[in-house]
Amino acid sequence: MKQSFRKYLSMPGLLKSVGTSFAALPDERRTRSITLKDGLLSALAVFHQKVPSLLQFDVIMRNQGDTTHASNLRTLYGIDNPPSDTSMRERLDEVNP
């Protein structure tokens, strides 16, 4: 019984649950090169990982900075296609909190 709780209450389990919730949100944009789920998970990662700016997060995710850090973010958060800092701002502005 402990194993089943650990599976869902661990950080990867919680982030997977959040990602599933984000994927269920309606995405009404016409162009969807980057999913709403990836945009929201990227924004969550910025705050959770305490990255000082969206631009620095963009550099990390584009593998121009620390490639280990970018790989960890992709693995932990399940971000397939991270948005640029400008795209993330635009995407977040459209979401009704």
Side-chain angles (χ1 to χ4, degrees):
M1 188 122 177
K2 282 185 179 181
Q3 290 296 340
S4 64
F5 283 127
R6 261 189 220 155
K7 179 179 178 182
Y8 298 107
L9 294 178
S10 65
M11 187 49 101
L14 290 172
L15 289 173
K16 185 175 181 179
S17 176
V18 169
T20 301
S21 297
F22 285 166
L25 294 174
D27 190 359
E28 299 172 1
R29 294 172 294 123
R30 291 184 187 156
T31 58
R32 295 184 185 160
S33 60
I34 298 172
T35 64
L36 182 61
K37 174 189 165 209
D38 281 347
L40 293 173
L41 283 173
S42 295
L44 177 66
V46 168
F47 289 105
H48 185 245
Q49 297 293 320
K50 299 178 182 173
V51 180
S53 71
L54 292 177
L55 182 58
Q56 186 173 354
F57 181 79
D58 188 32
V59 169
I60 291 168
M61 290 305 291
R62 303 279 172 231
N63 291 329
Q64 297 167 356
D66 181 6
T67 57
T68 304
H69 192 72
S71 176
N72 288 341
L73 287 175
R74 282 194 174 97
T75 303
L76 182 61
Y77 291 91
I79 300 167
D80 297 320
N81 188 12
S84 67
D85 60 325
T86 303
S87 179
M88 190 184 314
R89 283 186 187 97
E90 292 171 353
R91 190 134 309 112
L92 293 175
D93 286 343
E94 297 172 357
V95 176
N96 184 2

